[in-house]
Amino acid sequence: MVGIVGYGTQIPRYRIRVEDIASVWGADAPSYKRGLNLNEKSVPGPDEDTATLSVNAARNALLRAGIDPQLIGAVYVGSESHPYAVKPTGTIVSEALGACPRVHTADLEFACKAGTEGLFIALHEVQSGVITHALAIGADTSQGAPGDALEYSAAAGAAAFIVGSEDLIAELLTTDVYMTDTADFWRREHTPYPEHGGRFTGVPAYFRHVTGAAKAIMDRAEMAPEDFDYCIFHQPNGKFPVQVARKLGFTEEQWAPGLLSPTLGNTYSGSSPMGLAATLDVANPGAHILLVSYGSGAGSDAFIFRTTERLSDVRDRAPHTRTQLDEYRVHIPYGTYAKFRRKILKAE
Amino acid sequence: MRDVAIIGIGMTRFGELWESSIRDLCVEAALACFNDAGIDRLDSITIGSMSSGLFTGQEHLASLVPDYLGRRNVPAVRVESACASGGQAVRTAFLEVASGMSDVVLAIGIEKMTDVSGGEATYALATAADQDYEAFHGVTFPGLYAMMARAHMERFGTTRDQLAQVAVKNHENGSHNPHAQFPFTVTRKQVINSVMIADPLTLLDCSPITDGAAAVLVAPAEMARELQRGPLTVITGIGHATDTISIAHRADLLHLDAIELASSRALGMAGKTIEDIDFAEVHDCFTIAEILVLESMGVVPAGQGGPATLDGLTALDGDFPVNPSGGLKSKGHPVGATGVAQICEAVTQLRGAAGDRQIPNARIALTQNMGGSGGSSVVHIVEAR
Amino acid sequence: MQVPRFWREIPRYYRLEAAACVQCDAIHFPPRKICPSCGANAFETVRLSGRGALTTFTIIRTPPSGFTDQAPYAVGIVELDEGVRLMAQITDCDVDTLKTGDRMIAKFRRIREEGRTGVIMYGYKFVPDVGV
């Protein structure tokens, strides 16, 4: 048996409303709000980045797991906004948790699915018996170019999962994957903001891969949508995950607990992992959960978990994701946002 | 130990002295000091500078100063204890003379602070704090004293008006001092409404960034008697003490142990009590600092420094005049020079030569010089004989 | 601050490692080699809770070089539940409503960086403990 023994999230305190971005660029806020089901997004403070969000989320995961950090044999940090181009985020995270020095680490990048990539590797590595525990984190402080459609959704947050083979709170039943070479979104080396294929990111990219991975894993597990208590699909906005869930035959009560994007935005590598964390905050023991990520470029990882009795014992040891989202927020104007995100810089 | 007298004092003007370099300032103060003493003999030099390296890039003042004084080959040493470096220079000179090692020793305090930007100066001053556990977090010296001010206001009910009165009083005194950087008066309202630097301290709660140098010449009292130029001024007591570098580690954030110990040691050596003191020059780097020093030296009980200041205790005509020179607040605070300049003021007052700021019949003076946030302090007792 | 000086402090900056005196149980942060309470020189490394209360603070509005783009920011002294006092920035707070006695919790944050291309220094800051 392998699965999750602890989980935790971190969401920055700051939010910006879609209206406040739209008013700067003369864009139509209602079309973003209705069309993409986006109301506001999280903004990292000036002293936050992928490393800090990762550490703070992982500390919450450790509180729930209740294990000695020295047991962690591997740390994977998936992100498209690692603070350094060269120098791992994973070393910072491992040191801050107290997992060094006998810990393997790798920074992963696969657009929005780098977080589940880490989870995928961690689960299978622990399953192999090489190590007893691994930590997988999906975290981002993603940036959209000023005025670009992505600016309305590119948000910040992190989810961390400690994987083990004993004292599970959610057992892994199976994984699957669906991946092709599809350039729907990218960022070249030494450029600050990503570019994307506009409507091309929809049908041939997001929907094809998410649907492909979801169908593949359900076939493999011989399960149908009605066999699941919850589903989480990557949430680049509030519209895509609902559309794909409906198309596959899921219902609102299955996706609603994990759907954070309408008020969180797209936390990229943190997106579907944070949805999983929010779902674990409310799931009953024995619940079946389908998780399907999506990363541009493009691919989807799929997982099926079944929660255990232990989940309800540990979930209150750390703040719930929804509490962080709903109760820890201060709205900032665009000028403050531009300063925090270093779109404008003060002279030294 | 031999009795040690101050036979000469000299100061540059304090202020933004764009035309003067660090060597110019040292030489100007020393020449004024030699002229005042009326002698030409020099056995040794002590130099107090907090951070000539960070402020000007120049270390090795122990070579530069004698060289440009035209005293090549004279032994010289630089001493450092942050903003108490000047007091340390005088203390070191005292020890050389008292021990019989030297007869005539020049103590110079110097800081040339305006060759760097405001941010760089703030950084340089913050090196007097714990670099790894205070300054690392972006705290500044106004910030450290502001934390003490907030705690004082919350524990004792000290008011903004009371803090501001320290500045009002010192500017009033400084307006009569020709060496002062800011010889103008201010109102409490102006102090309170000036730009916020580190809450609750405003710009006019803070001493300025200043260029300047001060010098004193010390010699055995016997020799001074032979010279007989004006009243004899003798250093009768020196106290020196240290405390934690981090304010978070103090047993009581609002009691400066180093100041209490340094003043009680100095008074004990002089055979005096605080009641014997006619006036004091104290280290008012911030308005709250003067209040903390008054309380830590036992001039007033803890918590009474604010009300006492507002009541006029420390005014020029009060029962315990403090900072007749204008203090660091109005006279200016070239950090390494301050401790020496305090002695210059003490001697000027004891000679009865302080003009409009003269304290009548001043016979016994106390000077208190402080390093950092109270991590070190030197107190001198100077008496007219 | 150069990299070696920062790197040396990582156990304190990242994990709040302190020294507990084996003789008198006093806890020192940063760690010391001689106990100022009892004079002993044997210690155990302990990790501080990071939970405590704000005892005093200020808002830095005129920052030193290296902190220019962060101002204004709060710096305070927090007394941890184990009795240790330490200074740090208070972040994620409304500087106008912060007050002494507020409960605080340590978080991992960026402290400063060596310019735009240099090393990033991380460490502890406190945030008001509001349960998230």
Side-chain angles (χ1 to χ4, degrees), chain A residues 82 101 116 119 187 334 340:
Chain A
H82 290 288
T116 60
L119 186 60
R187 180 165 64 82
Y334 193 89
F340 281 7

Side-chain angles (χ1 to χ4, degrees), chain C residues 83-100:
Chain C
V84 174
R85 286 190 300 267
L86 69 169
M87 188 176 290
Q89 280 194 31
I90 317 299
T91 189
D92 278 15
C93 66
D94 179 351
V95 295
D96 298 322
T97 59
L98 201 62
K99 57 185 191 304
T100 57

Side-chain angles (χ1 to χ4, degrees), chain A residues 212-234:
Chain A
K215 283 183 173 167
I217 199 168
M218 285 192 285
D219 281 351
R220 182 198 283 257
E222 297 181 345
M223 291 174 76
E226 56 270 26
D227 297 328
F228 291 92
D229 298 275
Y230 303 102
C231 62
I232 303 107
F233 299 101
H234 172 54

Side-chain angles (χ1 to χ4, degrees), chain A residues 128-342:
Chain A
S128 78
V130 175
I131 53 175
T132 63
H133 294 83
L135 169 65
I137 298 169
D140 259 307
T141 54
S142 37
Q143 292 251 41
D148 186 83
L150 288 175
E151 193 180 28
Y152 296 85
S153 60
F161 298 90
I162 297 173
V163 170
S165 53
E166 289 173 7
D167 296 329
L168 303 181
I169 58 172
E171 179 192 350
L172 177 71
L173 298 187
T174 189
T175 62
D176 216 316
V177 66
Y178 191 98
M179 193 269 281
T180 70
D181 186 31
T182 304
D184 58 318
F185 165 104
W186 60 89
R187 180 165 64 82
R188 293 281 298 273
E189 185 91 284
H190 305 308
T191 59
Y193 299 114
E195 294 182 24
H196 54 87
R199 288 187 59 78
F200 180 65
T201 62
V203 173
Y206 179 87
F207 289 100
R208 178 184 172 206
H209 293 83
V210 171
T211 306
K215 283 183 173 167
I217 199 168
M218 285 192 285
D219 281 351
R220 182 198 283 257
E222 297 181 345
M223 291 174 76
E226 56 270 26
D227 297 328
F228 291 92
D229 298 275
Y230 303 102
C231 62
I232 303 107
F233 299 101
H234 172 54
Q235 335 179 354
N237 48 52
K239 178 182 161 192
F240 280 20
V242 172
Q243 277 186 330
V244 83
R246 274 212 184 95
K247 198 172 141 204
L248 286 164
F250 290 90
T251 62
E252 183 167 4
E253 63 177 8
Q254 288 168 298
W255 75 64
L259 185 67
L260 306 172
S261 51
T263 52
L264 175 63
N266 179 8
T267 57
Y268 284 53
S269 303
S271 176
S272 56
M274 292 174 78
L276 173 61
T279 303
L280 291 172
D281 283 338
V282 297
N284 289 323
H288 287 82
I289 302 173
L290 173 67
L291 168 67
V292 183
S293 65
Y294 173 73
S296 290
S300 287
D301 297 326
F303 307 77
I304 297 172
F305 294 103
R306 182 171 59 212
T307 59
T308 73
E309 293 286 343
R310 188 168 174 268
L311 175 59
S312 41
D313 298 337
V314 308
R315 65 164 55 118
D316 293 336
R317 289 183 188 172
H320 291 201
T321 302
R322 231 9 116 172
T323 309
Q324 292 177 334
L325 181 62
D326 297 341
E327 295 175 20
Y328 198 56
R329 56 175 179 175
V330 170
H331 291 96
I332 54 174
Y334 193 89
T336 306
Y337 159 78
K339 173 183 149 181
F340 281 7
R341 300 308 284 132
R342 299 189 179 198

